[in-house]
Amino acid sequence: MKKFLLLLVLISNFAFSQMPNISNVWLNNSKPYIGTIGNDKEIIKLKINISEQDKKNDQEYFVSGYTVVENNYTKFEGKFKITKYKDAKSKGTVYGDYELAEEVKGKHSGIFTGKFVYTFKWDKASEKIHSQEIELIGDWKSYDKTLDFKTNLKNQ
């Protein structure tokens, strides 16, 4: 009976455990992610203004913001989905996928898709995270399917 009760407690703890809410991480301290897009390595800035953890799936985060390439400013909405987490004493790494859909605004709007890697160091003494790095590696495809570019963005 004791073994059954212990098993029941373990199962309920596992079933009700939740991923910590890291939605503020994607906001990047109100700074844009900066990187390149396309073969000519044009500068792209991606700013996330809103980030919320999905209440039904704590591994997903809804985000919205805007992108800027040259003089092209476009709003977007999308999500980040955590697929894997590695913890090594004082360092953590979070892996996942992202999809960001820009508002339909002509030839120069489309969808960003790809993978992200979020690494950070954990100071056990102060219980604070520092040295955060986020990299978004993927593709951007125009809605009319005439443009398809590689993208690479990093937090600042």
Side-chain angles (χ1 to χ4, degrees), residues 83-156:
T83 58
K84 185 177 177 183
Y85 173 71
K86 282 186 175 179
D87 187 20
K89 291 187 182 179
S90 63
K91 184 179 178 183
T93 307
V94 178
Y95 300 91
D97 302 315
Y98 67 90
E99 182 174 303
L100 310 172
E102 293 179 311
E103 66 183 351
V104 180
K105 230 174 99 173
K107 185 176 181 174
H108 295 268
S109 61
I111 298 179
F112 292 89
T113 56
K115 307 272 184 205
F116 70 81
V117 179
Y118 165 46
T119 57
F120 59 90
K121 292 184 181 172
W122 172 254
D123 183 348
K124 289 184 182 182
S126 67
E127 294 187 355
K128 297 205 182 220
I129 290 175
H130 61 91
S131 301
Q132 297 183 78
E133 294 180 12
I134 304 170
E135 185 170 18
L136 309 173
I137 303 165
D139 298 294
W140 175 87
K141 294 180 182 169
S142 63
Y143 288 119
D144 67 5
K145 308 229 187 296
T146 59
L147 301 171
D148 186 352
F149 299 127
K150 296 286 182 200
T151 62
N152 189 330
L153 295 126
K154 293 183 181 181
N155 66 324
Q156 302 300 306

Side-chain angles (χ1 to χ4, degrees), residues 36-66:
T36 59
I37 183 168
N39 295 333
D40 296 335
K41 307 278 187 205
E42 285 188 76
I43 302 295
I44 181 172
K45 292 181 181 180
L46 182 142
K47 173 86 166 52
I48 296 175
N49 294 327
I50 298 172
S51 174
E52 297 176 355
Q53 187 178 37
D54 185 338
K55 289 175 179 39
K56 293 181 182 176
N57 181 354
D58 62 6
Q59 305 291 311
E60 290 187 7
Y61 294 84
F62 297 112
V63 297
S64 67
Y66 62 89

